[in-house]
Amino acid sequence: MRTAPKRAALAAAITALLALALASASPGEVVRQGNLQGSFNGGISPQRLPRTELAPVAVTKGGKIATTDRTTPPKLERIVLQINSHGALQTKGLATCSLAKLDSLPSKEAKQLCAGALVGHGNVTSRVSLPGQGAFASNADLLAFNGRLHGHQAVLAQVSSGAPLPLTYVIAFEVLKTKGTFGTTLAATLPPIASEYGYISAFNLALSRRYESHGKQLSFASASCPAPAGFPGAPFPFAKASYSFADGRTLSAKLVRDCKVRGN
């Protein structure tokens, strides 16, 4: 049987390890493979959550793509975002918007007609190089809608840019339930941008929506804080993300974040 001083020493050691893990968790991770570089960022808000029950949160994910030698990176073909199993995406009673509608409507009309399915927003930056013209950056707004894809839940991200090159396209994230540390996966194959003359260099996506269904208040995104009993908070593997490119390379990173137990 452990004496009180030994128990106190053990608790102090565990607390020190948790503090070290928290200090080492940076707000953004950078991964390189050859000259290709990708940064990954994201988190949840609020950080103070129940220990076991789910509570409404906003989930943010994003990143940037570049090369260390300033050459044009290979085309980004696929984005996979995985969320810790202590979080969930709830769609019961939530309206949906179709991929066909978002492909054919400008963002203003889509936002009006699919307002009940709106679950997030963000932005996308692309680098475009058209024949006979110099390269330029195209900044676009992103609206995320609840939808369906291949029989599964989906997050349909409509991207709309203005001058100098107006574009509208949809990044369709299929939502899959998995087992293990990361219980929800959002996977998307990217469409051609500017007839293959452009590539995505940065994106940010925030998912958050509270709604009512059959008299109950629900949240599209929710989470709990997986801190061990007796501890006021803990670092945890919040998410895993990967970018796959046309030349066969893949950049991946795990994002470690921290949470605090509500009421402690």
Side-chain angles (χ1 to χ4, degrees):
M1 182 174 179
R2 290 191 179 96
T3 64
K6 287 184 177 180
R7 287 198 299 269
L10 178 60
I14 294 174
T15 301
L17 288 173
L18 289 175
L20 179 62
L22 286 171
S24 64
S26 61
E29 284 69 28
V30 177
V31 178
R32 296 185 182 91
Q33 190 176 141
N35 70 330
L36 186 60
Q37 176 176 293
S39 66
F40 302 80
N41 58 70
I44 59 173
S45 178
Q47 289 183 301
R48 193 173 292 278
L49 298 164
R51 194 184 302 274
T52 56
E53 296 179 359
L54 295 175
V57 295
V59 178
T60 59
K61 291 286 194 73
K64 294 182 179 180
I65 297 159
T67 56
T68 56
D69 55 9
R70 297 186 178 183
T71 57
T72 301
K75 177 189 172 187
L76 176 63
E77 291 190 329
R78 189 166 175 81
I79 298 175
V80 177
L81 307 173
Q82 295 175 280
I83 301 172
N84 189 282
S85 58
H86 289 275
L89 298 182
Q90 163 74 261
T91 60
K92 183 179 180 180
L94 187 61
T96 61
C97 192
S98 69
L99 180 60
K101 186 177 292 185
L102 294 174
D103 265 333
S104 61
L105 291 175
S107 61
K108 186 176 181 179
E109 291 184 30
K111 189 175 183 179
Q112 292 175 341
L113 294 176
C114 294
L118 188 64
V119 294
H121 66 278
N123 57 75
V124 173
T125 299
S126 301
R127 296 291 299 178
V128 181
S129 182
L130 298 175
Q133 300 183 30
F136 60 90
S138 175
N139 297 312
D141 292 327
L142 179 155
L143 294 175
F145 298 89
N146 179 44
R148 303 288 296 176
L149 186 69
H150 305 141
H152 295 108
Q153 176 192 349
V155 174
L156 306 179
Q158 187 193 58
V159 182
S160 299
S161 64
L165 183 65
L167 293 171
T168 298
Y169 57 91
V170 178
I171 302 175
F173 288 92
E174 188 173 4
V175 180
L176 303 171
K177 301 299 180 182
T178 54
K179 295 182 179 180
T181 301
F182 303 101
T184 303
T185 297
L186 287 78
T189 299
L190 274 65
I193 300 172
S195 299
E196 301 285 0
Y197 291 111
Y199 64 90
I200 289 178
S201 58
F203 77 96
N204 282 288
L205 172 64
L207 298 174
S208 177
R209 170 70 188 271
R210 296 193 190 192
Y211 64 100
E212 184 176 329
S213 177
H214 300 290
K216 293 184 178 181
Q217 295 296 321
L218 302 175
S219 176
F220 176 70
S222 57
S224 61
C225 180
F231 286 89
F236 69 103
F238 156 67
K240 185 177 180 181
S242 66
Y243 308 147
S244 298
F245 298 85
D247 67 354
R249 284 184 283 182
T250 297
L251 299 178
S252 300
K254 184 185 295 184
L255 282 67
V256 176
R257 298 294 182 261
D258 66 279
C259 63
K260 294 178 174 60
V261 177
R262 184 183 295 172
N264 284 33

